[in-house]
Amino acid sequence: MKKYDLIIVGMGPSGIFCAYELIKKHSLKNILLVEQGKRIEDRFCPMEKLGKCVKCKPFCNITCGFSGAGAFSDGKLNSYHLSLYNQNGDLYLGGNGGSYIKQYMSTDEIKELLAYTDNIYLDFGADKHLHGIDNRDEIIKLQNKAKESGLELVDFPIRHLGTEKAHILYTKIEKFLEDKVDMLFNTQVEDLIIEEGTIKGVKVRNTLDKDGKVEEIFGKDVVLGVGRKGAGWLSDICNRHGIETQVGSVDLGIRYELPDSVMEEINKYMYEGKFIGRPKPFEDKVRTFCQNPSGFVSAEVYDNGLTLVNGHSYKDKKSENTNLSILVSHNFNYPFNKPIEYGENIAQNVNRLAAGGVLVQRFGDILSGKRTWEKDLEKNSVVPTLKGAVAGDITYAIGYRTMTDIINFIKQIDQVIPGFAGEDNLLYAPEIKFYSNIVVVDKNFETNIKNLFCIGDGGGLTTGLMMASASGVQVARNLISKK
């Protein structure tokens, strides 16, 4: 019988930073990390060579494996703790998880945690340069202009690793951990072992084993850090075992691509500007997210073979376009309580229209009520950076309310950034963030199942690399105090 002091499910940023902190503090030595994907050095995306997504089996190499999607992300570390935005001392964290964490930690405690986590990244080679701390006068002018147009423009310093540098940094972390903890790759957690309201371990299966043999592994404590890729799995697990959750908002939207020249001021002064608005007539919350100057639009595969769109930016490799996501937050009321399934249905419909892939459409075509054809893209001034995207009409799959929010939001930003609503700008779909199933935890991140903890984006508790990593550090601290 295999037994550990701690089992961590998922080797994304939250899981690996939890393990790192426990090792550094010489607290727990008998630790197991379980990951359904591969080691970081074995991960690569065939799309770069083939020009299209081949839906890697058994799991997508971009979303699964050591460091999760972080290894193939654009590698932006949001330094919320250094933000100069809120003069009243409040701390902007973004996403659903920001307000949730604030329930249990003071502003000073969160800032200390983020600063500590930031230093870990620096120790492993993160870029010391911070974007967004200079040119304050220009940033304030942009913020005032946004306010006049009914928008909020949030800024905070950002460390940009770049996709290729993020890969290198997380490889260093993997090397640090591998001889200090046990690590199981290509291993799917099929179920949790729970007895009388207490976690006892996990049931796992090697995904490369054709016989599908299930093995039981026992642990005193179990931490779930499965990331957005595992949000659907986590939702099923919670329903199966009565793990308390609450329904959050689901973020539905598109990836928007436009010329660097249009975004020049934002890119230069802020690197990433987060616009937040409530466009009429519905006044839903709409925001920009994950801006990539001179970046590339990408595709990634989630559960049930869903292909979603994302964006990357590199340190050395550059395009002439900026891409960013535009997300609409929808909050559903009783009796509907399955926002993840709702988002999955939209993604499925978009994928069907794109023969299993991503749809792309000109903004001008959406305004004129027509679909985009391949011949339209060939003469378009904005050249798509996702070569495998299929020209079509995303309004066949994304609902009227969501599309109206997106269109009116783009027009609002155009008042701040002329050219943002350019007809040749491109919309890619679907972009959906699966963190709407929020796992209810206490101040120690412990669920209603004794000794079972939840961290990271998959449980709706954080958004992004920095916050996910910091949540892992905090759970490690809580486990040390528990001893």
Side-chain angles (χ1 to χ4, degrees):
M1 179 187 297
K2 294 183 179 180
K3 190 164 186 178
Y4 291 87
D5 293 325
L6 173 66
I7 299 172
I8 300 175
V9 180
M11 293 192 207
S14 62
I16 62 181
F17 269 69
C18 179
Y20 173 86
E21 181 70 1
L22 290 169
I23 292 168
K24 291 294 287 186
K25 293 297 188 291
H26 306 288
S27 179
L28 293 179
K29 297 184 181 297
N30 193 16
I31 301 172
L32 171 68
L33 282 81
V34 184
E35 168 60 45
Q36 65 182 3
K38 302 174 183 177
R39 299 176 61 88
I40 195 167
E41 60 267 30
D42 296 329
R43 298 172 63 189
F44 67 95
C45 180
M47 181 179 287
E48 292 189 11
K49 291 185 178 181
L50 302 177
K52 63 178 181 179
C53 178
V54 297
K55 300 197 174 184
C56 299
K57 303 295 183 181
F59 300 107
C60 174
N61 279 335
I62 287 184
T63 57
C64 294
F66 188 89
S67 80
F72 287 87
S73 73
D74 55 300
K76 284 196 295 289
L77 301 173
N78 297 331
S79 300
Y80 300 106
H81 58 295
L82 299 174
S83 175
L84 301 175
Y85 174 67
N86 289 310
Q87 301 299 320
N88 60 2
D90 193 16
L91 190 65
Y92 174 83
L93 295 179
N96 298 326
S99 59
Y100 201 77
I101 288 174
K102 287 180 181 178
Q103 293 181 37
Y104 300 115
M105 298 179 69
S106 69
T107 295
D108 288 342
E109 287 173 333
I110 296 172
K111 285 184 175 180
E112 182 279 326
L113 173 64
L114 291 171
Y116 181 89
T117 306
D118 190 32
N119 282 328
I120 296 175
Y121 272 106
L122 288 171
D123 289 343
F124 280 100
D127 193 339
K128 294 181 180 180
H129 175 69
L130 280 169
H131 298 271
I133 59 174
D134 300 318
N135 305 300
R136 295 305 306 170
D137 290 342
E138 288 80 0
I139 292 173
I140 291 172
K141 287 179 183 177
L142 286 169
Q143 289 175 329
N144 290 336
K145 193 173 181 181
K147 188 174 182 180
E148 292 173 1
S149 299
L151 296 166
E152 183 178 16
L153 176 57
V154 180
D155 77 288
F156 37 77
I158 290 174
R159 295 193 196 281
H160 179 229
L161 304 178
T163 303
E164 72 274 49
K165 305 299 183 183
H167 200 89
I168 293 171
L169 184 147
Y170 287 118
T171 298
K172 292 179 181 178
I173 298 178
E174 182 188 72
K175 297 299 182 186
F176 175 87
L177 292 176
E178 64 182 354
D179 62 347
K180 300 174 181 65
V181 300
D182 287 347
M183 303 165 75
L184 288 178
F185 292 95
N186 301 305
T187 303
Q188 172 74 40
V189 173
E190 297 290 316
D191 203 356
L192 305 180
I193 302 172
I194 298 174
E195 297 177 3
E196 297 180 354
T198 301
I199 190 73
K200 297 297 181 180
V202 296
K203 296 180 180 180
V204 302
R205 178 180 61 84
N206 188 311
T207 59
L208 304 180
D209 182 0
K210 295 181 180 179
D211 296 330
K213 181 181 178 182
V214 175
E215 178 183 4
E216 293 185 344
I217 304 176
F218 295 88
K220 181 180 177 182
D221 294 303
V222 174
V223 172
L224 305 178
V226 295
R228 294 177 203 164
K229 168 66 174 67
W233 173 89
L234 182 56
S235 179
D236 291 340
I237 286 291
C238 289
N239 291 334
R240 189 182 307 171
H241 293 287
I243 299 170
E244 189 176 352
T245 63
Q246 63 185 43
V247 178
S249 60
V250 59
D251 284 350
L252 309 174
I254 53 94
R255 175 72 42 172
Y256 198 55
E257 187 168 40
L258 66 166
D260 278 341
S261 57
V262 173
M263 298 297 292
E264 182 177 7
E265 286 189 313
I266 297 290
N267 292 346
K268 179 180 178 180
Y269 301 139
M270 304 173 69
Y271 192 84
E272 176 176 5
K274 290 186 180 292
F275 285 93
I276 303 171
R278 292 185 176 274
K280 295 184 181 300
F282 302 110
E283 299 186 345
D284 296 316
K285 178 182 177 182
V286 188
R287 63 190 176 99
T288 61
F289 179 75
C290 187
Q291 181 174 315
N292 297 292
S294 304
F296 297 83
V297 178
S298 62
E300 52 192 33
V301 180
Y302 281 70
D303 292 340
N304 303 318
L306 296 178
T307 301
L308 303 183
V309 66
N310 208 332
H312 298 165
S313 56
Y314 298 85
K315 275 291 187 183
D316 302 322
K317 180 182 176 182
K318 302 293 183 181
S319 75
E320 296 181 352
N321 297 342
T322 293
N323 69 75
L324 51 89
S325 64
I326 297 177
L327 300 172
V328 182
S329 297
H330 291 304
N331 297 282
F332 296 102
N333 299 317
Y334 178 85
F336 183 74
N337 62 354
K338 295 182 178 181
I340 290 179
E341 288 87 339
Y342 181 85
E344 287 176 340
N345 285 335
I346 290 176
Q348 286 172 350
N349 287 333
V350 176
N351 288 166
R352 289 188 183 106
L353 293 171
V358 171
L359 276 181
V360 60
Q361 188 172 13
R362 295 176 64 256
F363 186 58
D365 290 341
I366 289 179
L367 295 179
S368 61
K370 67 181 286 287
R371 65 159 288 171
T372 296
W373 297 92
E374 190 64 36
K375 62 181 181 181
D376 299 320
L377 295 180
E378 291 174 358
K379 60 184 180 182
N380 201 56
S381 65
V382 180
V383 179
T385 55
L386 180 58
K387 301 305 179 185
V390 176
D393 189 343
I394 63 177
T395 65
Y396 275 127
I398 296 181
Y400 170 77
R401 179 169 182 149
T402 304
M403 284 306 309
T404 300
D405 284 334
I406 291 170
I407 292 168
N408 290 343
F409 185 65
I410 289 173
K411 291 178 178 179
Q412 266 189 292
I413 297 179
D414 190 71
Q415 298 171 24
V416 184
I417 306 174
F420 195 84
E423 291 189 354
D424 281 4
N425 297 343
L426 300 174
L427 290 80
Y428 298 82
E431 177 143 358
I432 301 171
K433 302 306 180 188
F434 291 114
Y435 41 58
S436 52
N437 180 60
I438 301 176
V439 178
V440 177
V441 296
D442 63 15
K443 64 181 180 180
N444 296 316
F445 286 82
E446 188 172 10
T447 70
N448 61 310
I449 303 299
K450 187 177 180 181
N451 301 334
L452 177 65
F453 301 81
C454 188
I455 53 179
D457 289 15
L461 302 173
T462 61
T463 304
L465 294 179
M466 180 59 79
M467 286 304 301
S469 303
S471 73
V473 171
Q474 185 61 34
V475 166
R477 292 177 175 180
N478 295 339
L479 289 169
I480 293 170
S481 299
K482 179 181 174 183
K483 291 181 62 181

